[in-house]
Amino acid sequence: MTLSICVAQLNFVVGDMVGNAQKIVDAATQAYGRGVRLLLTPELAVCGYAAEDLFLRPAFIDACDDALKVVASGTAHLKGLHIVVGHPARAAGVAVERRERSVAVSCLHNAASVLCEGRVIHTYAKRELPNYQVFDERRYFVPGHGACVIVVEGVRVGLLICEDAWFDVPAADAKAAGAEVLAVINASPFHAGKGGEREATMRERVRATGLPLVYAHLVGGQDEIVFEGRSFVLGADGALAGRAVSFEETLFDVAFARHGAGWQIAAETDRAHSPEADLWHALVLGVRDYLGKNGFPGAILGLSGGIDSALVLAIAVDALGKDKVRTVMMPSPYTADISWIDARDMAERLGVRYDEIAIAPQFEAFKASLANEFAGLPEDTTEENLQARIRGTLLMALSNKFGSIVLTTGNKSEMATGYCTLYGDMAGGFAVIKDVAKTMVFKLARWRNAHDPYGTGANPIPERIITRPPSAELRPDQKDQDSLPEYAVLDAIIERYMENDQSPESIVAAGFERADVDKVVRLIRINEYKRRQAPVGIRVTHRSFGKDWRYPITSKYRA
């Protein structure tokens, strides 16, 4: 006996129920033609993940219900094909009072329905609702209960939804209900190392139940989060039996054949990639989908001749192609000649449009306008910030006129410490490397120069951009390290304090200088108001300055 399963590892658009439904129908038709009899779609495939407060709108749920019917009718002729479709479903007989609206609305399940020949034959509701990091499912859903086991081609398949598989009980209940194979549909956001964590956790479920497991995952970018795909299948012994490609749509086929008392599993296996490769592909996918799904015709960025803007440019060209990316060099009186040379060099290497707009006239005009107010006062960060804000104004003017979105170039180290200018270099629509620490910026630049994954040009970043000391070039002979600890030290403290919640005392005990720790922690604390006004950016660590980080601006707490 053989069961052919297909994972529809697809890229859905939040709120595009019509388009998402058609994508599922198309995948089902294609898979059926290859002999597939069980198709798995990702979690909340009908509406996309995550729809956030759209779930509170009854008309949105109605549209999801209609889309499920479209999938059912569009696949009714595919005899014997079972399709697991993720969607929000009203919880029968459950209601809550939303006092701010003074109306009662139905609660929802995060559900998966099994369609076969035009009918819904089973519906399973997610039992474990995550409410940490970027997840906020308890705001919208109520948990389900019980197990769901379907029989396809004589094989009993137990369904789970994402977080269910991170706990023992739902999988154990599925086995108790007769499951021979576990099928898990997911929408699990990417961060560095997450792919390995998933496989390790699913291996625990397999070893606890003795059942093979198919993990069906979403792919694509949605606002600040990215889903990398990398669906996989594990044998009953926990060994990897197959893995889909990462960061790409695919129909991933898995064949289960009975072999004595167990299963013989056949599936292709994509190789694991380096951390830098995964980060690169995540950033490229995040840019491509943010612009593509929101309808921006292209991107524009300020190219300074520094490492951050160089990295963002390389990502943007890999994501969009050279014809959709425009660069602008905006030299000030403090811009070094090598910055001009290196910026021009990189633009030529990648074949993007490159323009130069000097900001010295505007800078002098601003200083003249403020001369009476600033009389007798020395120049300081005020004048430095004026230059950054002039650049931000020029970029936003070009964006307004031509429709391209401004990509900001600040990294996580800068976002953490406030080493950035509000309404200046922070001005823009999408912060590509907002969650990439400066030390990783250098690693990614090195990686991209050694690889050309999208065929847009080898060795795009001039070597001098990577090796020269970083500088904002807003005053004579300025270097980043004049104001900040060495980046290796800075990033290590940020990781410990911000990402892992270690106390300042424990960081000092780990060998860091007290002065460095106190300085970094203070900078993180006092710059929360800046980060609240920063554009959304791609999340690539397990804790980013976005939904993961919810600290008050006004607070007297000092640890």
Side-chain angles (χ1 to χ4, degrees):
M1 182 180 295
T2 302
L3 172 61
S4 183
I5 300 175
C6 178
V7 173
Q9 180 177 292
L10 299 176
N11 189 342
F12 296 102
V13 180
V14 166
D16 183 14
M17 275 70 83
V18 173
N20 295 342
Q22 187 59 54
K23 182 168 279 196
I24 295 170
V25 171
D26 291 344
T29 302
Q30 184 176 341
Y32 186 76
R34 298 203 300 261
V36 168
R37 291 301 176 264
L38 175 59
L39 182 79
L40 305 175
T41 71
E43 180 179 10
L44 294 174
V46 160
C47 61
Y49 195 103
E52 299 184 311
D53 279 6
L54 288 173
F55 287 126
L56 303 180
R57 305 188 73 85
F60 182 82
I61 306 305
D62 291 341
C64 292
D65 293 342
D66 291 342
L68 187 65
K69 294 174 183 175
V70 168
V71 175
S73 63
T75 58
H77 64 291
L78 304 177
K79 302 302 181 183
L81 178 65
H82 293 67
I83 309 171
V84 178
V85 181
H87 66 101
R90 289 183 171 90
V94 181
V96 295
E97 184 73 16
R98 292 187 57 78
R99 297 186 183 278
E100 68 271 24
R101 293 185 181 176
S102 300
V103 294
V105 296
S106 296
C107 284
L108 300 173
H109 286 312
N110 181 339
S113 286
V114 183
L115 310 180
C116 185
E117 299 178 11
R119 297 183 301 112
V120 176
I121 61 173
H122 294 283
T123 296
Y124 172 77
K126 187 175 183 179
R127 295 168 57 169
E128 302 292 342
L129 302 177
N131 225 65
Y132 56 87
Q133 293 180 343
V134 298
F135 301 106
D136 206 8
E137 291 201 14
R138 294 177 194 171
R139 178 177 174 88
Y140 310 111
F141 303 117
V142 293
H145 54 84
C148 178
V149 177
I150 61 175
V151 181
V152 186
E153 299 288 282
V155 179
R156 297 185 297 276
V157 181
L159 295 184
L160 301 172
I161 301 177
C162 203
E163 191 81 355
D164 292 341
W166 291 72
F167 291 84
D168 293 326
V169 175
D173 286 351
K175 181 178 182 179
E180 301 172 275
V181 174
L182 296 176
V184 189
I185 67 170
N186 303 268
S188 178
F190 168 84
H191 64 68
K194 185 65 176 289
E197 293 173 16
R198 289 194 204 98
E199 290 185 12
T201 301
M202 294 306 103
R203 195 168 289 116
E204 292 176 8
R205 295 290 80 71
V206 166
R207 290 171 176 166
T209 60
L211 303 180
L213 179 149
V214 181
Y215 188 100
H217 196 209
L218 180 65
V219 68
Q222 170 59 30
D223 293 347
E224 70 186 64
I225 54 179
V226 172
F227 304 93
E228 86 269 34
R230 191 174 156 154
S231 302
F232 58 90
V233 56
L234 301 176
D237 60 354
L240 182 70
R243 182 193 291 127
V245 296
S246 300
F247 304 102
E248 296 179 22
E249 287 189 305
T250 190
L251 297 183
F252 175 57
D253 290 343
V254 180
F256 281 84
R258 290 196 187 275
H259 185 71
W263 295 99
Q264 186 174 18
I265 304 172
E268 294 185 355
T269 302
D270 187 52
R271 64 183 177 87
H273 301 277
S274 70
E276 290 82 8
D278 277 345
L279 282 176
W280 191 270
H281 293 307
L283 293 166
V284 166
L285 181 57
V287 170
R288 181 186 298 136
D289 274 8
Y290 192 83
L291 271 69
K293 291 180 179 181
N294 287 295
F296 290 101
I300 185 169
L301 66 139
L303 191 62
S304 68
I307 185 71
D308 295 319
S309 64
L311 186 69
V312 172
L313 173 57
I315 293 167
V317 172
D318 277 2
L320 308 171
K322 63 182 181 181
D323 294 338
K324 291 187 177 181
V325 181
R326 178 180 179 182
T327 62
V328 184
M329 172 61 156
M330 295 168 284
S332 79
Y334 308 114
T335 300
D337 289 343
I338 58 173
S339 296
W340 294 61
I341 295 168
D342 291 343
R344 290 171 183 165
D345 182 9
M346 184 167 181
E348 290 175 2
R349 293 185 189 200
L350 288 174
V352 298
R353 177 174 174 177
Y354 172 85
D355 298 291
E356 293 177 356
I357 305 175
I359 67 167
Q362 297 93 324
F363 185 37
E364 293 303 320
F366 268 103
K367 290 196 293 183
S369 296
L370 293 165
N372 290 337
E373 300 294 331
F374 293 173
L377 300 175
E379 290 196 359
D380 54 18
T381 55
T382 306
E383 285 73 19
E384 294 179 27
N385 289 339
L386 275 177
Q387 298 166 70
R389 289 180 177 131
I390 290 166
R391 291 179 174 129
T393 298
L394 293 174
L395 287 173
M396 289 306 302
L398 293 169
S399 174
N400 291 161
K401 186 64 68 176
F402 300 107
S404 293
I405 189 172
V406 174
L407 302 180
T408 64
T409 61
N411 60 63
K412 188 171 190 173
S413 308
E414 295 169 346
M415 291 296 105
T417 58
Y419 196 70
C420 47
T421 302
L422 200 57
Y423 322 123
D425 56 319
M426 293 177 69
F430 198 55
V432 178
I433 58 172
K434 179 180 180 179
D435 198 31
V436 180
K438 188 76 170 191
T439 47
M440 181 55 70
V441 166
F442 287 103
K443 291 179 182 179
L444 287 175
R446 292 284 189 198
W447 183 89
R448 179 59 182 85
N449 270 3
H451 302 82
D452 186 15
Y454 297 93
T456 56
N459 201 39
I461 304 175
E463 180 66 16
R464 185 165 56 189
I465 288 180
I466 300 174
T467 57
R468 65 183 291 207
S471 171
E473 294 191 324
L474 298 174
R475 65 174 183 266
D477 301 319
Q478 184 180 25
K479 300 291 185 292
D480 289 1
Q481 308 301 176
D482 296 340
S483 305
L484 300 170
E486 292 292 327
Y487 277 117
V489 173
L490 173 64
D491 290 348
I493 295 172
I494 291 171
E495 181 180 4
R496 288 170 177 269
Y497 180 79
M498 180 265 170
E499 295 182 16
N500 298 325
D501 286 323
Q502 294 183 17
S503 69
E505 292 301 326
S506 67
I507 300 173
V508 172
F512 293 86
E513 294 293 332
R514 164 67 70 179
D516 288 338
V517 173
D518 287 348
K519 180 174 187 176
V520 173
V521 168
R522 176 180 176 275
L523 289 172
I524 291 173
R525 184 178 69 247
I526 66 174
N527 284 290
E528 182 62 30
Y529 79 101
K530 282 190 181 181
R531 291 188 292 269
R532 291 288 184 94
Q533 300 177 70
V536 64
I538 306 168
R539 175 186 186 266
V540 294
T541 68
H542 73 273
R543 194 175 201 188
S544 67
F545 286 117
K547 294 180 182 178
D548 294 321
W549 178 265
R550 306 183 190 186
Y551 277 74
I553 296 172
T554 306
S555 171
K556 293 295 185 181
Y557 187 69
R558 293 294 182 266

